[in-house]
Amino acid sequence: MITVTINGKAYEAQPGMTVMQVADANGIRIPRLCYHKALSPIGACRICVVEVKPGPPRPVPACTTPVADKMQVVTESETLTHYRRELLQLLLINHPLDCPICDKGGECELQNLTRELKISQQPYQAAKLTPQYDSQSPLIERYPDRCVNCERCVRVCRDWVGAAALYFDNRGYRTAVTAGGRVMDCEFCGSCIGVCPTGAIIDKTFKYSARAWQLQKEAAVCPYCGGGCHLVLETKKGQLKRVTASFDEPVNGGIICSRGRFSLDIVQHERRLTEPLIRKDGELRPVAWEEALDFVADRIREIGSRHGPFALAGIGSARATNESNYVFQKFCRAVLGTAHVDTTAALDHQKILRALVHVLGRPRVTWADGEGTSHRAIREVSGFQLALGTLDDLDRADTVLVVGSDVKKEMPPLVWRINQAQKRKSLRELLIVSSRHTRFRSSARWSGTCRPGGAGFVILGILKGLFETGGEKLRGLGDFRREEVLRRRLDATKWDLVQDATGLDRERMVFLADRLLTAERPSLVVGYDLAGLGDGYDAACYVADLLLVLGKKLKLHLTAEKANTQGCSDMGVSPHWLPGYAPLEDADRFEAVWKMEVPRDPGLTLAEIVAAAAGEGPSPIRGLWMVGTDLFGTSLNRSAVEAALERLELLVCQEAFLNPTAAMAHVVFPARLAVETEGSLTSGELRVQRQEGKTFASGPRDDWEILCEVARRLGRPMEYASAAQIFSEICQVFPHYDQYGLPDIPAEGFWWNRLYRTKYGSMGWRRVLDPSLKAVIPWLEMPPQVSEEYPFLLLVSRSLFQSGTLSRYGLGARTLEPQGLAWLHPQDARDLQVKEGERIRVASASGSITAPVGLDRRVPRRTVQASLHFQDLPVQRLTDGGIVYPVRVIPTAEVEPGQG
Amino acid sequence: MIGPLLKGLGKTLEQMFRKPITIEYPEKKREVSERFRGHPRLLRDETGRIKCVACHLCETICPSKAITVVPEGGPQMHDKHPREFIVDLARCIFCGFCQEACPKGAIMLNRKYELAQYRRDVLIYDKEKLLEE
């Protein structure tokens, strides 16, 4: 601690802080223009000049001057005001007087400064500059004449987002921010809009729709990916006008991606469902709530009495809140009486969780004996959740290894944190192994290209490398059983095989293993390129084994594609566990709380439910209840899903939009979106956050409300008055959530894997990885290989602008990527003699589609890359629950002359 | 005794030859002062375009919330004007704040004061009406 005197008053400060930071921390305002607290200071505008003693005899910028002990700072004096006024007047030479029409008017830092410094005229003249306006870029407009060259947009784009799409052109007086070309080639996250102090970069979707002071601001958690970013919804007269982010909050630090900023207009989309629909004479027709609820209850009773409760199944939603998912699985298990509960996350994210539960154990709390029940002391906590890291752990990590994940597209906040850690130099080594090149990958210290589908073998190879070269260093890190079996299995797997599967040789694997072993705080990021594999569970078992071997040191970060991917697993929407990952044998405990019977048999998984609904197996599924799920947006084979949904006697959907799945339903209930539902959401880093829920459309109801209504009609009522009441029941059955009541959850949420943080206040209990844990060593299948018949590989990928199928309705996503493309490497396209935009036919063993071609140098050779988001690109016809398939690519001109 | 009576009659006689003060409204209209604050109107510039740029300042300053502006962009980048500009004269208190707040001199109070109507909705003036006034 050092002491700094500012304007005659002494303040305490940490060494290394700048004058600006000390002043801000103590509520002293220094005028500033280029300084932004989320960005590294550059001291360009010199508006923040202060006088410092001891120091140079001239004013120095407060944002770049570090404080020293016994430093005396003066922030206001006649000279300083004179300097600032002169500087500002020089900036105003080229600034147009269009404040009345500028969208920034009212929240413009330049406007505020001009008023603050009482500038009413601008006496200088200079050569007129010709600004290069940009009105052609999608979603963003740029007015260079309003720019003050503060470099904030350039810094945020480079240091946070990692896109580096904006930079300075020219020198001196003619310096201007440019995007290179006529239109911007970037990620359209709009972070530059957020940091711009003037109206030089503005939101095209917001342009001229309201003035800043007319907007009401409300916080919300982003409903798109599992990053849990905080958004600020700005509304005027109940209409959403724009989405921004606050730089004060700790989760995403004010940065949001294009989905959150530009695609949230789905809440007031004209095609939102507002009335329940029932299929009458083959068509879905709007009916009253009572009629739809009664109809559903009757049909369920009928199917249940004729075929037994196990003819019914439920699919929960990674989009719905924890409360809705909890009530949903309770509805399925206790009210319908079926064990068939699953979610589409079972195809990817839940595979990793299953492996983690299997290897590292379920979350368990052991209480000390002899204490009261209200504030019991914890003796021990164990389970897989202790191995999962938070975003803050990424800040501290010195080595980050990314395997099997296109992180930016799956969960952008992870990338922003990694970029920041690299900028701060706390992250020394970023190692990325992926099958495709990405912009993020080019920022890595080391990157390797693995074959599509080889992510599991990469982890296996790293384990093999660890055991071969780790030696003494491995001792004392992990303590688990079956280590010998694991070693033997790894020894039996030859390096040649690993190299065949991954394309990476022994030397590189050993290098990665060595980096992980020598790092002090390593982090491993694993995502959907591993989890989405057909044998994703087996691959994830090796990830869990790696966590065992490296013990407490290694932190695992999972990407989550949807807002509550993690939460719906936590709430027990899975045939493998009850809420809180409780084993199915624990049903007694839940029966005591729910006062209803719970089936003990293991249920069918998602793929099995679809197969059973299509009539396969001894006991077919006849009724299916789905909450916020589009089965046609998953990697399940489209033809199989179609067959299954067509055969169903009853398909009930709770949806916000009439997506292709809901269009096949017998009954559709209009549901609120996750932004509109009061409740909690659990992000990919196990952060439980409160969603306050602001309703935009009248008509739709909360998912859990609809379920409670039907339960009451079925004679097994679940009486909940509010989301808070459901949350307290969740706390009762899952003690890790029992840290706050729903209304008391702090703005930044809480991590459920850090039980000690709040209520229990103590860290006195042991937090260890249980030595009784044992490695699980499944056989990994060789990733799909190309053959003569199928010379290409299909690699299912994700888009940066889309999220699942919900973003289809969003303005940003529609503007930026209206059409799904089959991406090819330009060289492959040349070999096939197809040009960009031409249609090709892609055929796999499961089916075939035609699609327009996109060219991208970052796509690996002999690979077709396509994503599942688009309605006009039914990639699902080619897949069967996985993400890599051998395919044949035929230019359509050869197959169907005349088409193209 | 007769003196005061004659004095009074004399005064009356004097009044008969003076110009009357009463204005026979509504047959005759009163001329109001230059600074009289009647109801607001919108102005056009010399090219005939509406001067208003829909900056919402009048709407913001209006103490009786009589003004509603719905902006609209034009083909040019700096082109902004009101799609709708509504003044509810039933709410207007003729304070003239809108005129003072306007950075473009686009809204001014005219000198009209005859606003009595049988229906309220007649008093809701839209953009065209305000430009005509």
Side-chain angles (χ1 to χ4, degrees):
Chain A
M1 275 292 179
I2 54 177
T3 314
V4 185
T5 311
I6 303 179
N7 296 342
K9 240 176 126 181
Y11 298 99
E12 298 227 305
Q14 298 283 353
M17 285 172 94
T18 59
V19 174
M20 184 72 99
Q21 283 168 333
V22 179
D24 277 355
N26 294 294
I28 302 162
R29 182 171 152 76
I30 301 173
R32 80 275 314 262
L33 199 54
C34 74
Y35 174 78
H36 192 287
K37 64 181 169 190
L39 305 170
S40 53
I42 52 165
C45 71
R46 305 269 150 174
I47 298 284
C48 67
V49 281
V50 291
E51 285 164 5
V52 168
K53 265 188 243 168
R58 58 185 181 274
V60 294
C63 64
T64 52
T65 307
V67 289
D69 200 12
K70 305 208 174 55
M71 186 185 252
Q72 298 210 348
V73 182
V74 176
T75 69
E76 293 294 336
S77 76
E78 222 164 275
T79 341
L80 289 176
T81 311
H82 176 71
Y83 270 125
R84 288 174 188 156
R85 286 173 56 97
E86 291 290 308
L87 283 164
L88 207 60
Q89 281 172 335
L90 288 170
L91 278 178
L92 289 172
I93 292 177
N94 275 307
H95 197 84
L97 286 173
D98 64 350
C99 299
I101 67 158
C102 176
D103 274 325
K104 201 74 179 180
E107 54 177 5
C108 175
E109 291 176 42
L110 188 68
Q111 196 179 36
N112 292 349
L113 262 183
T114 310
R115 282 191 70 83
E116 189 181 328
L117 297 173
K118 299 190 180 69
I119 295 171
S120 52
Q121 55 184 347
Q122 189 285 109
Y124 301 108
Q125 285 200 339
K128 202 84 193 125
L129 296 175
T130 327
Q132 301 289 316
Y133 296 115
D134 171 15
S135 62
Q136 305 295 311
S137 298
L139 304 173
I140 298 174
E141 262 183 16
R142 290 181 299 129
Y143 292 79
D145 50 348
R146 295 178 186 159
C147 180
V148 292
N149 289 348
C150 65
E151 212 188 341
R152 282 191 194 176
C153 51
V154 176
R155 280 179 283 162
V156 79
C157 196
R158 186 188 58 209
D159 300 343
W160 275 95
V161 183
L166 293 170
Y167 53 90
F168 273 139
D169 207 3
N170 297 334
R171 287 283 175 277
Y173 179 61
R174 296 189 187 278
T175 308
V177 172
T178 172
R182 209 162 52 84
V183 296
M184 295 173 78
D185 171 26
C186 73
E187 299 177 0
F188 295 97
C189 64
S191 299
C192 45
I193 302 171
V195 293
C196 183
T198 68
I201 306 180
I202 61 163
D203 180 344
K204 214 181 220 175
T205 63
F206 172 68
K207 190 182 173 190
Y208 298 162
S209 63
R211 303 309 300 266
W213 61 85
Q214 296 175 321
L215 298 166
Q216 280 180 330
K217 302 187 178 195
E218 265 151 299
V221 179
C222 182
Y224 282 115
C225 84
C229 295
H230 288 207
L231 309 176
V232 179
L233 308 182
E234 306 201 358
T235 55
K236 181 183 167 189
K237 293 180 183 156
Q239 285 279 307
L240 183 70
K241 292 293 180 192
R242 66 171 172 184
V243 179
T244 55
S246 157
F247 289 94
D248 289 322
E249 52 79 33
V251 183
N252 51 317
I255 312 294
I256 51 178
C257 72
S258 75
R259 298 177 273 220
R261 194 181 294 270
F262 296 117
S263 286
L264 217 74
D265 59 318
I266 53 164
V267 292
Q268 51 202 27
H269 195 282
E270 55 191 9
R271 272 162 61 198
R272 269 200 71 178
L273 298 174
T274 52
E275 286 173 297
L277 306 171
I278 289 188
R279 186 169 297 278
K280 285 177 185 168
D281 311 325
E283 245 180 83
L284 284 169
R285 292 175 202 277
V287 293
W289 273 98
E290 292 298 311
E291 188 187 338
L293 293 166
D294 289 341
F295 175 79
V296 166
D298 286 346
R299 295 287 290 131
I300 285 178
R301 220 176 285 126
E302 196 186 313
I303 294 172
S305 63
R306 215 144 30 93
H307 306 287
F310 276 61
L312 298 164
I315 299 176
S317 173
R319 295 260 183 234
T321 58
N322 285 331
E323 287 72 15
S324 293
N325 272 308
Y326 176 79
V327 170
F328 175 72
Q329 59 84 30
K330 184 176 167 183
F331 174 81
C332 291
R333 290 191 163 114
V335 177
L336 300 181
T338 177
H340 310 321
V341 190
D342 211 342
T343 153
T344 52
L347 294 169
D348 29 55
H349 189 261
Q350 239 177 42
K351 285 183 186 166
I352 301 189
L353 291 181
R354 257 172 64 210
L356 292 178
V357 164
H358 199 163
V359 177
L360 299 174
R362 303 171 193 274
R364 200 183 303 120
V365 185
T366 321
W367 311 95
D369 301 327
E371 300 268 346
T373 46
S374 58
H375 279 277
R376 292 178 292 177
I378 298 171
R379 202 178 60 207
E380 197 176 294
V381 172
S382 66
F384 74 87
Q385 79 279 12
L386 300 175
L388 291 185
T390 64
L391 291 180
D392 294 357
D393 286 324
L394 267 186
D395 280 347
R396 285 188 286 270
D398 58 354
T399 298
V400 173
L401 171 64
V402 180
V403 176
S405 174
D406 195 348
V407 199
K408 188 53 152 303
K409 286 155 194 163
E410 289 159 20
M411 211 164 103
L414 286 175
V415 173
W416 302 330
R417 290 295 180 110
I418 291 172
N419 286 343
Q420 275 293 294
Q422 273 196 308
K423 166 82 186 161
R424 274 201 318 273
K425 299 200 168 60
S426 64
L427 173 59
R428 286 202 311 271
E429 287 191 280
L430 173 62
L431 316 161
I432 299 181
V433 181
S434 67
S435 37
R436 56 198 135 210
H437 289 265
T438 58
R439 209 174 248 162
F440 177 50
R441 202 176 112 159
S442 56
S443 73
R445 178 81 170 265
W446 184 92
S447 65
T449 306
C450 82
R451 299 231 165 96
F457 275 96
V458 173
I459 301 286
L460 189 146
I462 292 171
L463 270 171
K464 198 167 154 62
L466 269 180
F467 281 130
E468 273 187 20
T469 57
E472 277 304 298
K473 277 195 259 176
L474 272 180
R475 204 168 295 276
L477 276 178
D479 191 7
F480 59 99
R481 294 193 285 144
R482 291 187 23 126
E483 188 179 334
E484 281 315 306
V485 189
L486 179 61
R487 274 176 189 270
R488 270 206 306 279
R489 169 65 63 82
L490 291 172
D491 287 342
T493 313
K494 293 279 170 281
W495 279 114
D496 291 349
L497 181 77
V498 177
Q499 190 168 355
D500 276 353
T502 63
L504 298 170
D505 56 14
R506 177 178 179 274
E507 193 188 339
R508 289 175 191 175
M509 292 295 185
V510 168
F511 165 76
L512 289 175
D514 177 62
R515 295 332 298 158
L516 281 185
L517 197 56
T518 47
E520 267 172 50
R521 294 174 300 279
S523 275
L524 173 66
V525 180
V526 172
Y528 283 57
D529 284 356
L530 184 143
L533 293 172
D535 60 345
Y537 166 78
D538 303 325
C541 281
Y542 282 98
V543 176
D545 291 343
L546 183 65
L547 286 166
L548 279 183
V549 171
L550 287 176
K552 283 194 288 188
K553 204 168 83 161
L554 184 64
K555 290 279 180 205
L556 178 65
H557 302 264
L558 299 181
T559 59
E561 193 196 11
K562 294 173 186 168
N564 210 20
T565 300
Q566 179 66 41
C568 82
S569 300
D570 292 351
M571 291 305 116
V573 185
S574 163
H576 303 285
W577 56 70
L578 292 166
Y581 304 91
L584 299 174
E585 302 85 64
D586 255 16
D588 293 340
R589 188 155 66 84
F590 291 88
E591 283 181 348
V593 177
W594 295 349
K595 304 201 172 53
M596 289 195 261
E597 260 180 64
V598 179
R600 279 155 174 77
D601 316 80
L604 300 179
T605 62
L606 181 66
E608 289 165 347
I609 289 174
V610 171
E616 290 169 30
S619 51
I621 299 284
R622 288 166 199 279
L624 186 57
W625 192 299
M626 293 203 285
V627 175
T629 296
D630 185 3
L631 281 184
F632 293 118
T634 65
S635 58
L636 290 172
N637 187 265
R638 191 179 176 102
S639 312
V641 174
E642 268 167 357
L645 297 188
E646 269 164 20
R647 266 185 68 111
L648 284 172
E649 288 172 31
L650 177 67
L651 174 60
V652 185
C653 288
Q654 293 179 208
E655 271 297 344
F657 292 96
L658 200 67
N659 59 30
T661 308
M664 293 180 75
H666 298 98
V667 183
V668 184
F669 290 113
R672 289 207 180 112
L673 288 160
V675 220
E676 299 178 299
T677 312
E678 192 198 345
S680 59
L681 294 167
T682 307
S683 78
E685 46 153 354
L686 308 189
R687 193 195 287 261
V688 183
Q689 301 193 95
R690 180 172 175 229
Q691 183 76 275
E692 284 177 33
K694 173 172 175 56
T695 307
F696 288 93
S698 67
R701 295 165 79 168
D702 288 347
D703 283 313
W704 60 266
E705 263 183 323
I706 300 168
L707 293 164
C708 288
E709 286 285 339
V710 177
R712 192 152 52 81
R713 282 170 172 76
L714 288 171
R716 291 179 196 169
M718 302 184 287
E719 300 293 351
Y720 296 112
S722 65
Q725 201 182 344
I726 306 171
F727 190 79
S728 63
E729 191 177 305
I730 296 171
C731 295
Q732 207 179 334
V733 296
F734 189 20
H736 284 82
Y737 270 59
D738 189 14
Q739 305 187 31
Y740 294 95
L742 181 64
D744 311 322
I745 294 177
E748 76 274 15
F750 64 86
W751 290 281
W752 70 257
N753 58 345
R754 295 195 181 174
L755 200 51
Y756 53 84
R757 280 185 77 234
T758 52
K759 198 163 183 175
Y760 301 96
S762 98
M763 289 182 58
W765 40 272
R766 286 195 299 144
R767 183 166 153 257
V768 288
L769 286 175
D770 198 340
S772 66
L773 298 175
K774 57 175 190 254
V776 175
I777 308 119
W779 281 111
L780 279 184
E781 278 176 41
M782 273 305 273
Q785 302 285 327
V786 294
S787 61
E788 206 137 288
E789 193 186 356
Y790 295 113
F792 277 76
L793 279 181
L794 169 75
L795 178 56
V796 175
S797 64
R798 281 168 171 74
S799 160
L800 181 60
F801 308 124
Q802 306 270 356
S803 169
T805 57
L806 187 64
S807 61
R808 274 179 197 169
Y809 306 94
L811 177 65
R814 271 181 297 149
T815 314
L816 294 169
E817 207 174 8
Q819 191 181 28
L821 300 173
W823 295 96
L824 287 174
H825 192 279
Q827 187 58 48
D828 287 337
R830 263 196 296 280
D831 294 349
L832 287 164
Q833 293 178 337
V834 287
K835 292 196 182 70
E836 195 157 21
E838 287 180 356
R839 289 190 85 82
I840 50 166
R841 176 171 293 280
V842 185
S844 77
S846 315
S848 85
I849 59 165
T850 65
V853 174
L855 300 184
D856 190 347
R857 297 182 60 84
R858 290 182 286 214
V859 176
R861 291 296 307 274
R862 317 298 292 167
T863 301
V864 184
Q865 199 175 305
S867 48
L868 298 166
H869 310 295
F870 305 97
Q871 199 152 1
D872 56 0
L873 186 70
V875 182
Q876 301 87 345
R877 295 223 181 269
L878 310 175
T879 62
D880 191 14
I883 54 165
V884 183
Y885 289 92
V887 291
R888 198 167 48 231
V889 177
I890 312 137
T892 39
E894 285 176 34
V895 185
E896 299 157 88
Q899 276 201 359
Chain B
M1 190 167 183
I2 196 95
L5 182 71
L6 285 176
K7 201 174 170 187
L9 284 171
K11 205 78 192 161
T12 311
L13 199 69
E14 193 187 318
Q15 287 296 330
M16 280 177 73
F17 296 103
R18 273 201 186 157
K19 217 179 152 196
I21 292 171
T22 317
I23 300 169
E24 284 174 11
Y25 183 83
E27 281 76 30
K28 287 182 185 156
K29 311 276 194 222
R30 179 181 175 165
E31 191 60 27
V32 292
S33 89
E34 276 296 311
R35 288 161 45 188
F36 182 82
R37 297 200 302 256
H39 68 71
R41 63 178 177 136
L42 291 174
L43 302 178
R44 294 178 192 275
D45 62 10
E46 50 281 11
T47 59
R49 280 163 46 106
I50 188 167
K51 271 188 174 179
C52 172
V53 294
C55 71
H56 292 271
L57 285 183
C58 51
E59 184 182 351
T60 308
I61 200 85
C62 182
S64 57
K65 294 192 169 59
I67 303 177
T68 313
V69 185
V70 180
E72 179 179 64
Q76 303 296 313
M77 271 185 104
H78 288 80
D79 201 357
K80 188 186 180 191
H81 53 264
R83 190 175 71 225
E84 283 174 34
F85 195 109
I86 297 165
V87 179
D88 184 353
L89 291 181
R91 293 196 72 106
C92 181
I93 57 166
F94 316 105
C95 62
F97 282 10
C98 47
Q99 179 179 340
E100 274 192 51
C102 185
K104 293 283 176 187
I107 189 166
M108 284 188 81
L109 299 192
N110 62 15
R111 290 155 66 199
K112 293 187 184 169
Y113 49 87
E114 289 175 304
L115 287 164
Q117 295 288 352
Y118 287 104
R119 293 202 341 256
R120 274 169 185 274
D121 55 349
V122 182
L123 287 170
I124 297 173
Y125 279 30
D126 62 4
K127 189 171 78 176
E128 280 67 39
K129 195 103 197 280
L130 291 166
L131 281 166
E132 280 166 25
E133 290 293 328

